[in-house]
Structures are given as structure tokens and as C-alpha cells.
Amino acid sequence: MARARGASLAAARRQPPALRLLVGIGVALWAVVATFPLAWTALMSFRVPVDALSSRPLDVLLGPASRAAGAGLSAIDMLAGVAAMVALALLPGWLGARAASRLAPAGLVRIGWILAVLTYALLAGAVLLVALPAAAAALDRLLAPVWLLGHLAEPIVGITLEHYRAVWIEHAFYRNFENSILITLGTVAVSLTVGTLAGYGLARAGGKLSFWLLIAALVFRALPHSVLVTGYVPFFLASRDLLAPFWSAPGLGAFLHMFSAGPPTLYGQPLAVVVVLVSINQPFTIWMMRSFFDNIPRELDEAAQVDGCSHFGAFWRVIMPVMWPGVVTTGLFAFLLAYNDYLVTSLLLDAQSQTMVPAITQFLNRDTRASDQIEAIAAAVSITAPLFLLVMAFQRQIVSGLTQGAVKG
Amino acid sequence: MFVAPSMVLMLLFIALPLGSVFVQSFHATQPVYEVVQEQACTPGFLATNCVTETRSRPRRDAAGVPVTTTAFIGLDAYRALLQPEAVARAFNVGGDGVAGLLSIDFYAALRFTLTFTLVTLPLVIGLGLLLALAIDSLAARYRGPLIFVSLLPFIITPVIGALSIRWLFVGDGVLTGVIRAITGSRLSMFAQGWTIELLMLTYRVWHATPFAFVVFYAGLQTVERDTLEAAIVDGASRLQRLRCVVIPHLVPLITFVALIHLMDSYRVFEEIIGFSSQAYRISLQYLTYSLLNPDQTGNRAITRASASSMLTMIGIVVLLVPVVVRTWRAQRGGR
């Protein structure tokens, strides 16, 4: 009886063939739409301008002019590349745990993991940048004279790295990269420190104050960033004069003189922008942290306090260890905000301290040679690559972060 | 105690700037001009020619820095943005009505921002819902990769996402040929406003749908199986189950996504940079941004930027109040 009911339920849930076909087509279409612009952009960045800007899609795909101009990839090269990628993707699963325990100094497993990840990053870099091209070239040379197999060693897809070289070396994009890293990591670190404390406080305090603070956080979340930046710009430009009283005040002035001889001009200072981005992100951080802390039972910190921990000790030793997923997720969103920002950084930083995203407009605006466009494309792909790795590594955390506010709120 | 650092940050860096923007919007800072009598002499034959003329020049202090004053100017900055006389002229006899209104920067920005927000909202929610239902019905092994692929448009830097779509259409891009084949004309996507606007809307839907999808997908995982099975036993069809069980379960999430999307798409800005659309379409945030950037003489129109910021803020409040009030009532009614 029960089984018969289960079977009829399953039958009712199964989709009719027409609907399944429709779902399949729709989902496949979405997968193409979601990836195509990015994939095509990446493809263009590896072609010489004649190919990349050609009106025939096949030219962009195969790059005949790029092949004629220099290096190309043969079928063997591509096979080797795919094999290396698959091996690198599977490696952590095979050896990750063993490597981590081997590398851990005296039982500190967490440090062992960090070392393992660093080793893996180095290994992957060495394989993809040095070993793979060398091995593939050697294979091509070896097989070229062989009858029939020789055709596999002939280059079929043209590829060029000249635009990447131009962007990173000639136009010194690495400086923008350094600024981006400084601002992004600074924002993540400060946001998490302040946000974790506040989220914990709010989740445990309850009451009127925390309710109103959360409402305020929601209102601030809605503020367009340009409104806040309008408040900062005059202050940042004139901060040397505006902050002067603090430096000449008795007591406080002596303290501040230990850091710098006079008040700083905040305009063009990456660290000042970090504070701005942290504040802009703060409402969101608090909101998310609070909902993560809400999931941790109150009894846990009470138990810790009964065992003799101080309030802060309970937070640090007992709550934080179970909070890592929440911290990672919130950190990811702080990372995205800082890394992707255009408005704040372009208005508050000068040309020397500019981050990557606003710097890309300098390539777009140059646009005198055909290769300027492709250089902008190569810069865009360079900016996107870390984000791509981020999604690969933290897909689960991103999804949980997106749903956290919604399902609880 | 734990909340203190965060509260200080928010007060100092959110509330304080807001207050200062409010004050700035009523004050203008200008260099002080002084009128001086200058005697300019040129050597001439027999006698030097001397001319005395009065000139006004910026007054400088001992260090040579121009002295500035800040004066209360009332609503002048708002008037400069809203241009009530021009509006009145546009709607008077002989004026050109709405077209005249939209030739004023502020109204053009407002029109675009509102269209953008209200057109993308239903599209994002509808597509997100369809996608969540479709992917939820697939076998588990397809879902992981599909979620990965779906996250890409969401996670990408907005300026770059917009650029990547622009590069498909600009010049001889791949999709230019497709459009040519469909419309049969050599339509350039970047030569007129409406096509750029269409691309911007497309980009935003592409960018924001994954967020709606992920939230709805998570919501679908918590639909009560018992209710669903009861509906099947009662002979409810697929569509009836969707309408009477699944959608009501998702309503709070739909409100949430709508709220977040309203906030985010009202902030439309990166599209303007990515598609370089400022000659045709600007948004409210872009208006403030362009006023804050130094013009050819190196001056930043801080006062007008402040006024435009305040107007932007009023706009988002007006837009959000209905949604918030409705949620509030629904929650109260539920309790």
C-alpha cells in the first residue's frame, strides 16, 4: 500500500517529456548566455587585433593571423593542457589531507593546511607557466617528423600573449594590482574584525537598541554610494587644513605627531579608502554576521562563562571556532565590494594610487591603435581571473551568503 | 560593548557625511574677489603712458592661497538642477513638453533610473523563478555545475561585465552580424540612445538574475514535502501545485529579492561607464559623479553634487516606502 502510494507520487512528480525537453533547452540556453560574454572576451584577449576585431567569428575562434604572426597551439598542446588541468584539479582530492598533515608543524593542523594550499598554488603556477609550455613544445618537436602524427603537432589555433605583456609590463598594471590587493585585503580584514564583534553583540543583546540599529543598517544599505562620496570628497581634499586643530591640540597632538609630522591629505590615500569601503559595507556585514551568530545557541557561551571564561574570552575561544563559515562568507562579500568598486576608488584616489577597475578606463580612452582595444580586453580578463578562481573555491560559501539574509530575514 | 566600534564607524563615516552633504547643498564656497586699482605703465616716447584701471581679482592671503568664503545660498543649487523655469516653459504653450523636460540633465537621469529599475525588476524576478524551478527539477549531478555557471555573471566586476557585453556588439563584434541578419539593416548598437538603453537593461538582467535564482532555489529546498504530497493526493495538477503551494511559500523571498533589487538597480552607475553611454543616457548616481569630477577648469561642483545627492536619496526613500510598509503590515497581520 505504502509502496504503491510512493510510486504514484513519484509518477505525479515526474515531468512529462515535453516539459523535460523545454526545461533542458531553457537551462542549456541559460548556461550559454551566462558564460558566453566572458568566454568570448577571454578568447579575444589572446588574438592579434586583426583576428580579435574580425567580422568573422571563426577568425576570432581560430586566430589565423595570430597563428601566422607567431606561436600557435597544436592538437597535442591542447591535449597536454587539458591533461594538466585535470591532474591539477584532482590533485587536492588525492593528496591534500596527507600533505597537510605532513606539513603541519607539531600538530597545528590549520597551519598545515595553509602551507599545503600555498605549496599547491606554487606547484600549479610552475606547471602551467613553465613545465606545460616546455613539455608541449618538446612533444611537438618530437612528433613533427613522424608520418601522420606530425599533423597533430602542427599549430591550428593561433595565440598571442603580447597584449598581456603590454598591459602588465609596459603599462605597469601591476601597480594597480598592488593597490587593488592592498585596498581589498584591508577592507576584508577591518570589516570582519569590526563586523564580527558587532554581529555577535547584536545577536546576543536583543532588545530595542539592536532592533533600531538593524533598521538603520537596512536604511544605510539602500543609500546610493554617490551620496556618501559627495560627503567625503571635500573633506578628503582639504583634510590637511581641516585636521590641523587635532595636531596642534595639547596631548592629542603629541600623540598624533608620533605617526606623522602634520595632518595628511587623505585624497589619494589607499588606507583612507579602506575606511570608507569598510563603512559602506558595514550595514551588510552586521546584518549577515548577526544571522550567522543567531544560529549558534546561546547556551554555548553561557557554558563557557560558567567554566570561567570572561565575556570576551567566551567569544574568542568558544564562539569564533564555530563561526568560521560565517566569517569566510561575509569576508567574501567584503572582498567583492572592495575589488569590484569603481565609484569610490575613482573619486577618492589619484592616478598613482588607482586600483585596477578604474584604471581600465585609461585603456578604453586611449583607443588610437587597434591593439589598444585588445589591451583593454586583456586587462579586463586579468581582473576577472581572480574572481573566477574565487567562485571555484568558494561556491558553497557564496550561495550560503546569498541565502542567509533572505531565508532568515 | 561589542557593537561600539561598528557604531562609531557608521556614525562617523555614514551619518556624518550624510549630514555634511545636507549642509553643503545649501552653501556655496567661492573665492573672494577684491576690486583693485591698478596702474599699468608702458614706456613711451618722451613720457611713459600710464593707464589706471579697476580690476577684480581673487584675494590671496599671506601664503598666496586664494581666500574663500562660504555663503548660504538657500535652494539655489536645487534650482540649478531642477530648473523650474525651464520646466514651466516646456509645458507652456509653444513648449515641447516631455522632450523639453528630458533635455534637462536631472530629469533625463531620473527618467532613465526609474525606467531601468522598474523594467528590470519583474524580468529579474520572473527569470530567476523560472531558472530556480528548472534547475531544481534536474538531476543532482547537473545542479552543481549549473550553479557555478550561474554565479559568474553575478560575481563579475560590474564595469567589466558591461564591457564584455559591449564588446560583443561594438564594431564587427560577433553579435553585430546576428543583429544584421535579423533586422536586415546595418543597425549600430551604439549610435542611438534606445539601443544602448536596451543593452544596459539586458546587462542588468543578466547580472542580477543569478541572485534571484540562488535565493529562490534555496527557498525551493525548504518547501514542505507533506503539503506537496497532500496536494498530489488531492489530484492537483503541476500548475496548481506551483500556484497554491510553491509560490506562496516563496512570497517572503520574492519580497526580499524585490527590495534588494530596487536598492541595487536604483544605484545604476557602472553600466554608464561600461557602455560609455553618458552622451545618451545618464543615471542619478552618474549625475552626482560627473558633478564631483573636476571639470576643464579643475573645479568640482560640490554644492550641486550635494543637492543632486539629496534628491537621489529622496528618490530611493519614495521608492522603498511602499515595499517596506507592505512588508511591515504583512508581518503585523501575520502575528
Side-chain angles (χ1 to χ4, degrees):
Chain A
M1 175 70 190
R3 187 184 293 166
R5 193 172 146 237
S8 77
L9 281 177
R13 200 170 286 138
R14 198 178 302 128
Q15 297 170 333
L19 187 62
R20 283 179 73 171
L21 188 71
L22 201 69
V23 166
I25 293 175
V27 167
L29 198 68
W30 164 249
V32 171
V33 168
T35 48
F36 183 74
L38 305 177
W40 197 257
T41 307
L43 208 59
M44 283 166 86
S45 72
F46 289 109
R47 305 283 182 259
V48 296
V50 181
D51 285 334
L53 303 175
S54 162
S55 59
R56 276 170 304 181
L58 210 59
D59 284 355
V60 186
L61 215 55
L62 296 177
S66 315
R67 191 178 61 210
L73 290 180
S74 68
I76 290 177
D77 296 340
M78 286 189 269
L79 274 179
V82 170
M85 291 290 216
V86 170
L88 278 176
L90 291 178
L91 193 65
W94 288 340
L95 288 177
R98 210 182 310 158
S101 64
R102 186 72 58 81
L103 285 169
L108 289 171
V109 185
R110 202 171 285 159
I111 295 181
W113 274 108
I114 294 174
L115 286 177
V117 169
L118 286 179
T119 320
Y120 177 72
L122 279 179
L123 184 75
V127 166
L128 289 180
L129 296 177
V130 183
L132 180 65
L139 257 179
D140 283 343
R141 223 171 300 132
L142 207 67
L143 289 177
V146 183
W147 175 77
L148 213 60
L149 275 180
H151 289 292
L152 288 180
E154 275 170 19
I156 43 174
V157 176
I159 195 165
T160 175
L161 294 175
E162 60 175 292
H163 308 299
Y164 286 95
R165 220 200 48 238
V167 166
W168 282 90
I169 298 171
E170 277 169 38
H171 300 310
F173 204 53
Y174 59 88
R175 278 202 213 115
N176 304 117
F177 179 72
E178 283 168 9
N179 292 326
S180 275
I181 293 293
L182 176 67
I183 286 179
T184 309
L185 292 187
T187 306
V188 171
V190 181
S191 247
L192 284 182
T193 319
V194 180
T196 315
L197 288 171
Y200 177 68
L202 288 179
R204 290 297 179 262
K208 272 251 159 68
L209 173 77
S210 83
F211 173 77
W212 283 111
L213 207 60
L214 282 172
I215 291 292
L218 191 70
V219 171
F220 287 153
R221 167 78 174 70
L223 271 186
H225 298 164
S226 65
V227 177
L228 290 175
V229 177
T230 311
Y232 295 131
V233 169
F235 178 74
F236 269 50
L237 287 171
S239 64
R240 184 177 275 276
D241 297 334
L242 290 175
L243 290 177
F246 289 102
W247 258 260
S248 51
L252 181 68
F255 177 70
L256 289 172
H257 268 289
M258 294 193 326
F259 297 102
S260 71
T265 298
L266 294 175
Y267 178 76
Q269 291 287 330
L271 291 180
V273 172
V274 165
V275 180
V276 170
L277 288 173
V278 166
S279 314
I280 288 181
N281 200 27
Q282 201 52 213
F284 179 72
T285 314
I286 297 181
W287 192 268
M288 199 133 100
M289 279 291 185
R290 191 200 62 119
S291 61
F292 273 109
F293 276 118
D294 266 349
N295 293 341
I296 298 174
R298 227 171 249 259
E299 288 75 26
L300 204 60
D301 30 348
E302 280 163 12
Q305 282 181 27
V306 169
D307 287 348
C309 269
S310 67
H311 201 158
F312 187 76
F315 166 73
W316 184 245
R317 296 196 185 173
V318 181
I319 306 298
M320 277 316 281
V322 276
M323 259 304 283
W324 282 113
V327 171
V328 171
T329 307
T330 317
L332 273 172
F333 281 88
F335 181 99
L336 286 178
L337 176 103
Y339 190 83
N340 287 345
D341 177 80
Y342 182 97
L343 184 75
V344 176
T345 42
S346 76
L347 279 172
L348 295 182
L349 291 176
D350 51 23
Q352 281 78 43
S353 55
Q354 201 49 272
T355 54
M356 292 199 282
V357 179
I360 202 173
T361 43
Q362 103 200 8
F363 294 102
L364 281 176
N365 293 340
R366 200 176 293 128
D367 205 14
T368 47
R369 298 171 299 149
S371 60
D372 286 336
Q373 274 296 310
I374 318 296
E375 277 169 19
I377 294 177
V381 175
S382 307
I383 297 173
T384 312
L387 290 176
F388 188 79
L389 294 178
L390 204 73
V391 189
M392 290 237 288
F394 294 110
Q395 179 178 344
R396 191 179 299 267
Q397 278 81 4
I398 295 171
V399 170
S400 87
L402 289 179
T403 50
Q404 189 65 232
V407 180
K408 308 279 302 182
Chain B
M1 176 184 74
F2 287 106
V3 191
S6 168
M7 248 167 94
V8 169
L9 264 185
M10 292 213 290
L11 274 179
L12 212 57
F13 290 96
I14 300 184
L16 195 65
L18 274 186
S20 96
V21 169
F22 181 71
V23 175
Q24 274 169 34
S25 68
F26 298 108
H27 291 85
T29 301
Q30 277 165 338
V32 181
Y33 284 89
E34 54 186 358
V35 178
V36 286
Q37 301 250 332
E38 276 183 350
Q39 199 180 38
C41 294
T42 46
F45 185 62
L46 294 180
T48 45
N49 299 326
C50 284
V51 185
T52 311
E53 54 184 16
T54 47
R55 283 212 339 224
S56 77
R57 63 169 187 204
R59 182 185 291 165
R60 289 168 192 278
D61 61 9
V65 181
V67 179
T68 56
T69 53
T70 305
F72 180 77
I73 54 162
L75 290 170
D76 280 3
Y78 292 91
R79 214 167 287 139
L81 280 173
L82 296 173
Q83 302 194 11
E85 299 88 13
V87 175
R89 223 177 307 131
F91 286 105
N92 270 345
V93 188
D96 39 6
V98 178
L101 185 69
L102 293 183
S103 67
I104 301 168
D105 275 352
F106 177 79
Y107 297 103
L110 183 69
R111 200 282 306 160
F112 173 73
T113 308
L114 289 182
T115 318
F116 186 83
T117 308
L118 298 177
V119 170
T120 51
L121 180 68
L123 287 174
V124 163
I125 288 183
L127 279 176
L129 201 56
L130 278 180
L131 207 58
L133 287 169
I135 290 184
D136 188 53
S137 74
L138 290 177
R141 67 170 178 280
Y142 298 121
R143 292 186 201 166
L146 277 169
I147 292 176
F148 171 74
V149 162
S150 305
L151 281 178
L152 289 177
F154 171 72
I155 214 95
I156 193 171
T157 312
V159 175
I160 296 194
L163 280 173
S164 77
I165 289 189
R166 168 189 174 165
W167 283 322
L168 298 180
F169 289 98
V170 82
D172 275 328
V174 249
L175 297 187
T176 316
V178 176
I179 289 178
R180 202 167 293 163
I182 294 172
T183 61
S185 65
R186 296 179 67 87
L187 179 69
S188 171
M189 293 301 275
F190 293 93
Q192 57 277 319
W194 67 269
T195 43
I196 299 184
E197 188 164 343
L198 205 63
L199 281 183
M200 290 161 102
L201 292 172
T202 314
Y203 161 74
R204 183 50 73 114
V205 172
W206 179 74
H207 172 68
T209 299
F211 169 67
F213 151 66
V214 168
V215 171
F216 294 149
Y217 177 78
L220 285 179
Q221 309 307 310
T222 60
V223 173
E224 281 167 43
R225 291 180 63 90
D226 290 348
T227 323
L228 216 51
E229 285 181 4
I232 294 175
V233 171
D234 288 348
S237 74
R238 189 171 296 277
L239 209 61
Q240 285 170 327
R241 267 178 279 157
L242 184 66
R243 223 188 52 211
C244 303
V245 181
V246 178
I247 299 286
H249 178 78
L250 291 182
V251 161
L253 296 184
I254 293 176
T255 319
F256 170 77
V257 170
L259 202 67
I260 296 288
H261 185 78
L262 277 181
M263 293 178 184
D264 284 348
S265 57
Y266 185 77
R267 280 205 281 251
V268 49
F269 169 73
E270 270 95 350
E271 283 89 342
I272 316 259
I273 303 286
F275 289 108
S276 302
S277 72
Q278 55 271 31
Y280 302 99
R281 294 288 186 269
I282 61 170
S283 70
L284 288 172
Q285 273 224 101
Y286 186 85
L287 183 67
T288 311
Y289 172 83
S290 64
L291 289 171
L292 278 178
N293 260 326
D295 58 11
Q296 289 99 326
T297 54
N299 290 320
R300 297 165 195 261
I302 304 279
T303 307
R304 268 193 296 153
S306 305
S308 121
S309 292
M310 293 315 291
L311 293 172
T312 310
M313 209 168 73
I314 294 170
I316 185 70
V317 170
V318 169
L319 210 59
L320 283 183
V321 158
V323 186
V324 172
V325 165
R326 182 179 287 182
T327 322
W328 184 273
R329 285 221 185 103
Q331 281 216 335
R332 277 208 163 160
R335 266 176 209 159

